[in-house]
Amino acid sequence: MAEGVEDAPMDVDEQSPQGHSRRRTVIQSTSSQQSALEPPDVISVEETDDDEDDEDGGSAGERSIELVRDSDSDVIELDGGEEEGEHDEDDEDETDVEEDTDAESDAGAREGDTQQLDNPATAGAATGVQVTGRQATTSAAVPGTMPGAATATPSTPAAVPGVRVISPVRNSPAEFKTKSPRRPDAKVESDEDSDCCSICFESWTNSGNHRLASLKCGHLFGQSCIEKWLKGQGGKCPQCNAKAKKGDIRVIYAKTVKMVDTTERDRAVRELEREKQLRRKVELEAAQTRLQYELALQECNKIRAQLDRERQRNTQASASGTNLSQPSCSQASSSQQRSLYKFDSSIPLKGESRLLGYDAQHGTLVVSQPSPNQLFPGFGVKKISAMDLRSVQYVSVHSKAIRDICFSGRVDGLMLTASVDKTLKITSLMSNTVVQTYQTPFPVWACCWNQEDNNYVYAGLQNGSVLVFDQRDTTKHVEELAPPRARCPIVAMSYVPRDPESSLRCGGLLLGTLQGGCFWEKTSTDYKPHPLPMEGSCTSLKFEHTTRHCLASFRPDKNHNSTRHLLCELESRLVGEDGRNQCSCHVVQTFYGGSTQKLLTRSALFPSPGDPGQILVCAGDEATTSAQLWSASTAALLQRIPTDSPVLDVCPFSINNKHQLGVLTDKLLRIYSWT
């Protein structure tokens, strides 16, 4: 404040509503240089004298006044020191004597202003002043209507004993102006504000030139903006810089575009699918383990029964003094006649059934037949459980008739099928879906697996050639075996694994055609053909792995009046200086059937269920509409199984130590059990 300032304090006693005495001290700050039109600064201090002690234990005369100015709201707080005793009455009287008449009138006017400031509803430039102390309230009046009002100097609070200024002193009238309220922070941009064209940053529309459109990369723009962009920016997307053209613009007909965050859901779904796959894998492994256990148990029971028979024979031999280790043909024949196949059950079929197969790993019979649903034409297989002989499911595989079926022998349950629709397919019987398809230039009549390496499969074509496919390369075949003789269809084929201890040491592919037989020797680099001395039209060819014999069936011809089934032994010998193999076969037994055979029926060669050392031969006979069973050692007819129609295929199988024989006709599958 300017020099010559005189402070004129004045005490005014009031009565509070609570009955306490209130003393208001008015300090008038005047200046000799102050204009008459400018109102003086007024500081009003209100105190309440209470007879009760504070919570801290001080006397009623103690006071603490603090002067504080808030920078935001111009609030002044006063904090005074504590004094013991009451106010000095003489000081108050002396202050009243020193006041003149003009001061009294000015004090009355200022008192009205002070009362106006005490009212919270009073508007104007005045702001409330908070006084901290024991039941003391302070207000400050800052004149806002008269410019150039004098400001209080540091000497102003000195009129009140024990007052110290904490806030800085304002030195200019401009500092007493009330600050404008603080503006609120800018509102955060919402997600909807970002749904705009990334070129012009304007909102999309659902009609007009700036309607919502997208490129093939998936980014969204306004239609007019992206058309101009592609016209002038070299044909690239503004966001991903991918190549684009005007023809890639697609208008999106949507009122709003919103995306739902499905990241967690998709992750949960993927984890669920992974857990399901792991669970299915574990269940499959458990089922395969149980099945292997049952098979091993069956094998143990079979070996135990064979051991018991050998012990019994040795006991009888020691008692009679004769050697029964090599039984005669009559003894073998009588033993076979005592145990025959008896009818068990029958399963009706749709018709046009042709092939019968058995998956030993999963105990499932499969029968080829047309689709039972006319809405989904084609050909497939009907699955039948060997446990309860109930139909399980139909699996569609090919568009035309199936000519051959074979299994890999592994636990994965893969089935290889050949069809006249010029395809070779691999089907999983576990998932009932086709997992691999190979295209061929001609219809496929026969197929088989490579028993030494299941990655390779073979397809016998109608033109007599053999295509070798690798499951790791699905584009085309890896090798083609051209026929050594005239080109005629391959009706049957079997893979022969290597066995250095047998008469046929090398491995390869055994083929049966309508003009004879052929063996393709598999070397380390390629395949070598060896024609077999077989005459006639071959209809079926089977290979037995334990004895390494093969059974070839032939139709009647001009040199033979009846159907023939030749049991042959394959052999190989080294010739030449280079030590190459020469493969051939010689006939061990010949079995004769009826005089007619129009269908390409399939025969079977398998060990006897009653005596694994004996081999049985079973084949259908069209002349008698029956299935005939022979003994391979004696060529004697053991049993004739009658049917109501020609037999198309026979398949022996065993499950749970029970040996059975399936006989397939056009519309019926008969099951016979060994007794």
Side-chain angles (χ1 to χ4, degrees), residues 518-537:
C518 179
F519 179 75
W520 286 86
E521 178 189 359
K522 187 179 185 304
T523 63
S524 58
T525 57
D526 56 358
Y527 293 83
K528 295 181 179 180
H530 298 276
L532 300 178
M534 297 180 181
E535 298 180 357
S537 178

Side-chain angles (χ1 to χ4, degrees), residues 237-256:
C237 176
Q239 293 190 5
C240 65
N241 208 24
K243 292 183 179 181
K245 55 185 178 180
K246 188 176 180 180
D248 297 333
I249 300 176
R250 298 291 184 269
V251 177
I252 298 178
Y253 297 93
K255 294 182 179 180
T256 57

Side-chain angles (χ1 to χ4, degrees), residues 377 413 458:
Y458 303 93

